[in-house]
Amino acid sequence: MAPLRLGLRTRFALLALLAALAGCGSSSGGSPTVPADPSISAFSATPALLTRGATVDLTATYRDGTGTVDHGVGALASAAVAHATPQEATTYTLTVTGNGKTVTRTASVDVVAPPVQPVVQAAAQATEGQTALAASVPAQNGCTFAWTLTSGTVTAGQGTAQITFTAGAPGSLGISCVATNAAGTASAAGTATCTVVAAPRLASFLATPAILTLGDACGLTAQFSGGTALLQPGGIALTSGQTVQVTPTTDTHFTVTVTNPLGVSTALGLDVQVVAPPVITAFSAAGDWLPMAQGLTLSATFSGGTAVVRPGNRTILSGTALPWTGPMPDRFELAVTNAAGRVATLRAQARPRRAVALGRNGSWMLKDDGTLWVCGQNATQMPMGYPDWTPDTSVPTRNAALTGVVSLVGNQSGALALKADGTVWHLEANGTFPAALLPGLPAITSISSSGNHNLALAVDGTAWAWGSNFSGELGDGTTTTRATPAQVLGLPAIEGLHAGSNSSFAFGADGTVWGWGSNYNGQLARASGANVQAPVQLQGLPFPASLALTGNGTFALDFEGRLWAWGNVPGSTNPTTVTRQTDLPGAVRLVSDSRLAAALALDGTLWTWGPNYSGSLGTGDFEARSSAFKVALGPVLDLATDGASTLALLQDGTFWTWGDNSAGQLGDTIPVDRTSPVDLAISSPLTALAASTWSTAAVTADGGLWLWGQDPRTPAYRFLTVPTSAPGFAPLARVAMGLYQGLAQRVDGSLWRWGWANPVSADDGFSAQAQVTGLGPVAGITSPGSSTFFVLQDGTLWAQGNNSSGNLGDGSTTTRPTPVQVTGLTDVRQVAASSWHTLALDGAGRIWAWGDNSYAQLGDGTLTSRTSPALVPGFTGVTSVSAGSTFSAALLADGTVSTWGWLQPLAYRAPPAVLPGSANTRALAAGQQHLLTLQADGTVRSIGNAGNGQTGQGTFNSLATLTAIPGLTGVQGIASSGYTSFAWGATFAKGWGQDAWGSLGLGRIIERPTPGRIEGHTAW
């Protein structure tokens, strides 16, 4: 029999019936249970939106019944999950049946179509960085689109079916797009590829130069990448970094365009300016040898640029005169520069007046009025009676014999003077003698001298030389000195010459530089170091506007104001290498001697450098300078130097000097040697004075000590050029001066010294002030040269120091660094000594003598020297004695003076004899070879050698008879040492003779390290 098939409703009904029957049969005895109605708490479909073919999860929460879901889902237990795959939008109904009742709830599901893999459309090629590129895919309903680029940037449309983007780096650009429907289902990525090529780039486009002179080429250079480049005008293909030379004839705009394979291009342009070349038609310096203050006039005709005259870089206009009144170089250069930097130059030889010169201890000065003045030593010593003879002169003296001089240069025998007519004249010594015309020279336009050899430039451009030829500096192929000028052969036409030390330079009109002579220190910048006896062209040297040649090397100032040097100069490691030196602002001229170099600037500034012999650098000291020192003087127009002395002409027309003044060449109106007494600036009357060769000391009425000359209170021996108070010694009674020490005795009897303990040398026991002990009470002191004598109150005599002539009197010739007693003397009242012999006066008025007797100065009638005292026969009642270097003198009781030995210019006196004209003498003072006597009437007489003016007669003529010194009256005391003399009275003190190291106290010293003006003179 076939099984019974019941429908769903039938099955539910039977189940309910069975349940009821079961309840009726209960034997619990309670009330029957009432069945609950079914209820649904929740019914949902997840997700509510899904892609067709996707599964939805159906879940329900209900009670008291059984649930089913339609659309073929079937039974769904509470809290269980049923799955369905709807193909379209579907509403699911949950039906829960129980207790004869049914409840329902629905849940809807929206079904969308799945996305389709996009098909990407995009450009196949693009340029790096190209913008507004497009990519697209077909639209899909309800879908969004996600785009991805392997390089570059999406700029718009992200999420849509079409985007715009910017291309990235060169290469393959991958484009990817994914479509996503509303249910979040993503499609497979659609892709496309775009080839990105490099963008054209122009890093730079330059023209070198951008402004050029007509006819010159211009270099055009482009730095580019990413394509090919084309230059216009010209259609020239370029390679990156390549320079193409073009020669435009007018102002031109150039463009370079770089294009990549896709036709994308970029371009840069520039302008090239074409200017006319500078052209100089004429350049000249007019006003040859005019006074320095008046200067000269430069004129030029040119076109195509702006112009300066150099060195100095002074602007000049075409056709307009330029006055030049400052320091002048040896030659000028006109430099015309156009806008392109093209420079045209033309030199003009200057013929400036060289108004100052130094040579052979003399100074020459050419004033603006054309007069020639000179001061310094009369080195030739022309015989007296010669019509033009003059003594040394330390004040400017006019040389009226030579007129028409336009330029000066000093040398070792005097000076050379160039006249306007082209002749050259030789001036001997101080230039007061007749000038000598140098024969054999053509018309000369300039002269130069090293001091030992001379060069002259002729109007026709030839060079001439004469003088010393030790190193071949005359350029004649020999080393034979020549006194007459001869032409230097082997040179082109010359526009300038320079003589320095033992070398010579010539500057060709063709711009070449030539040299010959000494190359020992690389002065010629030649590698061998050997001397050159004939002119050779020198390579690698700047063509100078001015040259300075020292004994060690050469300095050159080029026209652009740059300073160069070669040879053995400071900072040089190779003498042949031309090295740049520190520039001196505005420098236009160099001046030199073998020991000094100097530079003058356009504004008159003066720089100096070198060894600084005698203070010739003007630095205020004697220290060498390896670099330029700015001298506190100016503005300076002209300068001359001989390495030891320097002479400057200032713009105000005054002359200033400094350095060595041993021959009065500084012309400061206070010469080294004074032939007439001159006042000393001491504020209190003198009571005592002592002098050595270098130093002077005086005691004033108030007991004060005054010093001048070399000051032994300092180890470095500073110079006191005027009497200077020395504190700490007063009150003093007497003083003595030696070469290396000074001695002073206070009124309390104590003895003090300054300087070195040993009077023989500066080698031990220095003190600025020290008490001398170890001797008894002292009654007198004297310190001739390097010996010292002490007269004690007990009448004994003690001595120390140099004893080479037995002059200490101890029976030996042994030098004594400490005092020893003079043998055989017990009643000494006074001692007088030279550096070689000594005199002592005892209480009986007798004279004792010892030491050197080469000139019979010991008075015993022999020439035999003695190392111990012996009586000078024939003397009693003598009141004082004095000792010169080769003679002796005694003041007798009757007021006459007796001398013996050799007092120049008298004949030898042996034995002693009374000096004619010596009556009424009350004091003596002997110098090296002269004698002063103080008369009872307060006048002073002199006799002897006057080579340094020490006799005070106003001349250098020696005296054979005692002669009154003019103008000296009221004298109370006299003193003398070496070649120096002094006299003083109640209201004055005077000195004359040699002024070694300022020992006259007249306000200057032999060597002046700072500039001093040559003051006006009655004839000046």
Side-chain angles (χ1 to χ4, degrees), residues 280-284 297-302 307 309 316-322 334 336 346:
I280 300 175
T281 306
F283 179 47
S284 62
T297 300
L298 301 169
S299 58
T301 305
F302 59 90
V309 175
I316 185 171
L317 302 177
S318 181
T320 302
L322 173 65
L334 176 70
V336 181
L346 183 63

Side-chain angles (χ1 to χ4, degrees), residues 43 52 75 80 86 206 381 405 433 452 467 474 513 531 536 598 623 728 747 749 754 837-838 887 962 968 981 994 1005:
F43 178 44
R52 185 181 298 114
L206 301 174
Q381 291 296 297
V405 175
F433 309 128
N452 294 315
L474 298 188
V513 180
N531 297 337
V536 293
E623 300 297 323
V747 294
W754 59 94
H837 80 289
T838 308
F887 74 96
L962 271 174
L968 271 184
S981 302
Q994 189 184 52
I1005 55 177

Side-chain angles (χ1 to χ4, degrees), residues 120-126 130-137 147 149 153-157 161-167 173 175 192-194:
V120 179
Q121 299 291 326
Q125 291 182 314
Q130 184 176 347
T131 61
L133 294 169
S136 64
V137 296
W147 297 84
L149 306 179
T153 305
V154 176
T155 57
Q162 181 172 340
I163 61 170
T164 58
F165 65 94
T166 299
L173 170 61
I175 305 171
T193 300
C194 175

Side-chain angles (χ1 to χ4, degrees), residues 430-467:
N430 66 11
T432 56
F433 309 128
L437 173 66
L438 283 172
L441 283 172
I444 297 300
T445 184
S446 68
I447 51 179
S448 179
S449 178
S450 69
N452 294 315
H453 80 288
N454 312 287
L455 299 176
L457 175 62
V459 174
D460 62 7
T462 56
W464 297 73
W466 68 99

Side-chain angles (χ1 to χ4, degrees), residues 397-414:
T397 303
R398 182 178 177 184
N399 181 333
L402 189 62
T403 59
V405 175
V406 294
S407 196
L408 296 169
V409 63
N411 61 21
Q412 283 299 311
S413 60

